[in-house]
Amino acid sequence: MSAAVDKSEARVRQMFGEISGRYDLMNHLLSGGVDYYWRWRTIRAVAPSGSAPILDVCTGTGDLALAYWKAGRGQIPVMATDFTPEMLLLAEGKRDRQYGKRIANGAASLTFVEADTQKLPFEDNQFQIVSVAFGLRNVTNTEVGLGEMIRVCQPGGRVAILEFSMPTNPVFNLIYRNYFKYVLPRIGQLLAKNKQSAYDYLPASVSEFPYGQQLADKLIACGLTNVTWTPLTFGIATLYVGQKRPAEITPPLNS
Ligand SMILES: C[S@@+](CC[C@H](N)C(=O)[O-])C[C@H]1O[C@@H](n2cnc3c(N)ncnc32)[C@H](O)[C@@H]1O
């Protein structure tokens, strides 16, 4: 039996700190650029509206947060959190290069904050959308992370989770498993030069993390309603969407 993957906060933070400089390159390269499409699908399925802010947790180098800011036409504030400062520095650089002028000229804010998803520094019921892309799997305690995402989401607001999964087609599944297990870690190790074998961690963490109906059941158990899940690109990734229950409407006394 294989040992469980070490997902302690210290190990995860150190690993992402070490690969941060090559993270974007590796991401686009190893996914063949499909990651852009996955983010686009997320934003299309869970589109922003109104003026309430959006939160992207485990934001890494900020791509989903940037995409949400753009989808809100620079009029909806976006908050993005991660506990690895090296990743956040890169995210801030991208924000400044892409939207710095517009933000300085009065567009909505796009703020990166160092925070653990298991202990978010926000009041309850703040955000119209709480998103996470390829981050939930890395959070040490999935239920605590999900609980925090739901706590800060507005009643009736949506939680969007983009995460790796395994293809259901048996032939494609076999090819993908071999690519994931043998090819990807070698390319990753070579390019990212990471001591902690981040690209061994990737297949190991994906294969032990629930996906499909199992993860959907977890979302429901954590309190989300109207949960849907949509496999993307032969099931390599899956988009999960759930809604926080609308606030109970208490009829006024003596009505
Ligand atoms: C695979 S990266 C994903 C980054 C980005 N969302 C993307 O789609 O490219 C995972 C990120 O989750 C962050 N992370 C993992 N566990 C976390 C936690 N408990 N709290 C905050 N960030 C965490 C890591 O620092 C890393 O930046």
Side-chain angles (χ1 to χ4, degrees), residues 12 16 23 27 58-60 82-84 87 115-117 133-134 138:
V12 171
F16 282 105
Y23 180 80
N27 225 4
C58 298
T59 197
D82 198 287
F83 70 6
T84 305
M87 298 289 259
D116 188 332
T117 302
F134 309 108
N138 303 294

Side-chain angles (χ1 to χ4, degrees), residues 115-178:
D116 188 332
T117 302
Q118 299 163 108
K119 198 170 189 288
L120 291 171
F122 306 114
E123 309 247 302
D124 299 357
N125 308 328
Q126 295 292 304
F127 300 98
Q128 60 163 298
I129 295 167
V130 181
S131 62
V132 60
F134 309 108
L136 188 62
R137 170 180 39 92
N138 303 294
V139 174
T140 313
N141 187 324
T142 314
E143 282 81 4
V144 174
L146 273 172
E148 277 293 89
M149 292 172 67
I150 297 168
R151 176 184 69 75
V152 300
C153 186
Q154 288 181 334
R158 282 165 307 160
V159 171
I161 298 162
L162 193 51
E163 191 50 86
F164 286 115
S165 45
M166 295 310 280
T168 42
N169 177 297
V171 178
F172 193 65
N173 187 300
L174 190 70
I175 297 169
Y176 186 65
R177 267 183 200 282
N178 282 303

Side-chain angles (χ1 to χ4, degrees), residues 13-57:
R13 194 188 289 115
Q14 186 193 342
M15 183 180 71
F16 282 105
E18 285 180 6
I19 63 167
S20 57
R22 299 275 177 111
Y23 180 80
D24 279 346
L25 173 72
M26 297 295 301
N27 225 4
H28 305 325
L29 209 71
L30 294 174
S31 74
V34 188
D35 59 310
Y36 292 103
Y37 166 71
W38 292 336
R39 276 191 294 278
W40 176 79
R41 285 288 302 262
T42 305
I43 280 166
R44 198 183 64 164
V46 187
S49 64
S51 59
I54 296 166
L55 171 66
D56 182 47
V57 303

